[in-house]
Amino acid sequence: MNPSLIAILVVVLAGGATALQAPTNARLASAVASPVNAAFISFAIGTTVLGIVAALMQTRPDMAAARALPWYAWLGGVYGACFVVAAAWGVPRLGVAMTITLMVGGQLLLSLVLDHFGALGVPRQPLNLGRIAGVGLVLAGVLLVRRS
């Protein structure tokens, strides 16, 4: 099987998992009285699972390479926590489709900026009409989802 096709499939499945994560954590937030509590529990379980998978795969971090990273490379968990809390909070108020659509819209807008400037070490991909139109169509989808 084509490696690019495998990567696309894995990313699409992970996106589907995000759609499952939002209502799951919203339900948990209702039971534990806050989206922050739900995110904490979600991250604790996720950390446990990742620890088990890392142990089974016998992966070992390169500590010298880790120490050489720029400061912002350590912030991924912060962004993830914001995402999980916002999803758990947003789903009961907006629904799953609207919450995820808005999140994807926000991801796409910032992605265009990051790509254009080559920020955070990503390869530079300047803005062009096709990229802007593609994001514009997704954002138009936000409006369509909202009006339904």
Side-chain angles (χ1 to χ4, degrees):
M1 185 177 260
N2 181 335
S4 293
L5 186 57
I6 293 170
I8 290 169
L9 181 60
V10 167
V11 172
V12 168
L13 291 173
T18 300
L20 292 170
Q21 181 186 38
T24 302
N25 285 331
R27 180 112 189 237
L28 183 59
S30 175
V32 298
S34 112
V36 173
N37 291 342
F40 181 80
I41 292 166
S42 178
F43 273 80
I45 292 168
T47 299
T48 301
V49 169
L50 288 173
I52 292 167
V53 170
L56 291 173
M57 293 178 70
Q58 299 179 348
T59 59
R60 305 244 189 284
D62 179 345
M63 294 311 290
R67 281 191 288 276
L69 289 170
W71 64 271
Y72 59 81
W74 298 95
L75 298 179
V78 174
Y79 309 139
C82 291
F83 182 91
V84 171
V85 170
W89 182 84
V91 165
R93 291 159 179 81
L94 303 170
V96 177
M98 188 63 181
T99 299
I100 297 301
T101 304
L102 288 168
M103 289 181 144
V104 169
Q107 290 171 348
L108 289 170
L109 286 173
L110 186 53
S111 295
L112 285 177
V113 173
L114 295 173
D115 277 351
H116 180 73
F117 292 106
L120 305 178
V122 303
R124 194 173 182 294
Q125 297 184 34
L127 282 176
N128 62 42
L129 187 57
R131 292 168 62 83
I132 293 168
V135 170
L137 288 170
V138 172
L139 296 178
V142 170
L143 297 175
L144 291 173
V145 169
R146 180 68 178 154
R147 291 181 183 249
S148 299

